[in-house]
Amino acid sequence: MNLPPTHSGKILVIDDERPVLLTLEALLTRKGYTVHLANSATAGRDLLDREKPDLVLLDLGLPDGDGMEMLRDMKKARPELQVIILTGQDSLHNAIESIKLGAFHFISKPYSPEEVVSLLGRAFEALQLQTETAHLREETQSLKQRLERAESFLYPQGRSRKMQEILDLTRRLANSDASVLILGESGVGKEVLANHIHRTSRRANGPLIKLNCAAFPANMIEGELFGYVKGAFTGALADFPGMIQESAGGTLFLDEIAEMPTDLQTRLLRVLQEREYRPLGSTKTRPVDFRLIAATNLAIDEALESGRLREDLYYRLNTFQLELPPLRERREDIPSLVTLFIETFAGPLGRTGLAPSRAAMEKIIAYHWPGNIRQLRNAIEYAVVLADEKTIEESHLPAEVRLPTGLQTRRKPSASSVQSLVENERHTIIKALAATQGNKKRAAEMLGIYRPTLYQKIKRLGIEC
């Protein structure tokens, strides 16, 4: 007998035939499962409540109860519970009815051990997928709530001309339902701007539903977006509305849109064109009523050329395009952001009046900020915790912010860019100097060259240190 490998899990077998109970107990125990036995509906209910099994093998013909009724009660109390019907009452009606009530599968007696063990393996895989999906959804919702709380105080900030132009355009968009595409590097505030657009729009009283396309596995995004009906796939134990339906009357924000699978981009395009959609497993279309805001941190040319963003969807999204500049291109906005973040983090600590010294502010303004506003926010939180008395000194800033300008980490070049040998050499030396906090002797040893040679290269390449 060639059976699948052993598993772990708790199984309850409810059957009034003693030979069946003993045979299954021996078989499943040998495969690594924890097995509980019940020879009646009453005993089965007691063990179900007490042992909380992961899966039930259920006979329909019980001396003190109806198996179908028991199946209905079990699924009502624990929708996630996997139930396999194992019965001699073999009929098409029983099979269809049990599946409708949520049974994972229906096996008629007599059965083969291989069939039972194989089905159990599939049922536990479905249970694991269902559990992981639920946990991921809970973690995503928790993270979403934390981010919303953390960013609820944030409005798009900026005195720079570029930011003023963007804020002016968002005011003009207030009474429009036109799609908006927000571009910009990671951390520039794309989600903050999406929040602002929704809050100032005529849909402000409706929901703002967010989906980060990079946060979900590709095979889960479709269900999260379009929803599904019960039984649409293994593990779909109840209807799930999906984010399109939840955003009715409000705004749907799709972050990292270029991470969405291209076949799903085609479905989304059809929704935008026809203003209707169909959940997974359903035969009926439903109308949609949402305003779409999408965002990506990829350069549009790169996203289109690589095929990560479909051209037809891009043109549909691109009614209005807002490109948020990186923080290094609007340094005049940094002081007001620093003040805002200090107030945010110092307030709960009772540190009123805290402010950066002149030297600290000069370092902050001079830094390259590859992580943009998000990185600045984290740096100020770090400094507030370390600061003494009323002043944030240069020594309270994170180490990378205190480095000389020439040693600071710059943004990585795109995959399509090509560096010259000189650029590669300069980058390597800067990394070595940064790793040794500017110690040229140790940097030369790390690079495997003499210290005078390193001095010559630093001078030739124009590295500030």
Side-chain angles (χ1 to χ4, degrees), residues 37-50:
L37 305 177
N39 61 3
S40 66
T42 302
R45 287 192 177 94
D46 180 60
L47 284 170
L48 193 66
D49 293 337
R50 190 168 71 244

Side-chain angles (χ1 to χ4, degrees), residues 211-227:
L211 174 64
N212 187 323
C213 299
F216 283 88
N219 61 347
M220 287 180 58
I221 297 178
E222 185 174 15
E224 291 295 320
L225 188 59
F226 290 89

Side-chain angles (χ1 to χ4, degrees), residues 173-191:
L173 291 172
N175 294 320
S176 170
D177 278 341
S179 298
V180 180
L181 179 61
I182 304 175
L183 307 178
E185 295 176 2
S186 178
V188 293
K190 297 186 290 296
E191 186 172 349

Side-chain angles (χ1 to χ4, degrees), residues 255-274:
D255 200 4
E256 305 303 342
I257 185 70
E259 300 300 325
M260 179 182 288
T262 53
D263 58 335
L264 195 53
Q265 291 184 32
T266 303
R267 282 197 65 187
L268 176 61
L269 176 62
R270 192 173 299 118
V271 171
L272 296 176
Q273 292 173 337
E274 300 174 3

Side-chain angles (χ1 to χ4, degrees), residues 13 73 82 97 129 165 195 209 231 247 350 388 414 439 446:
V13 184
D73 292 343
Q82 300 287 37
E97 187 65 21
L129 177 61
E165 290 174 355
N195 292 341
I209 304 300
S247 64
D388 302 316
S414 66
N439 187 310
M446 180 181 293

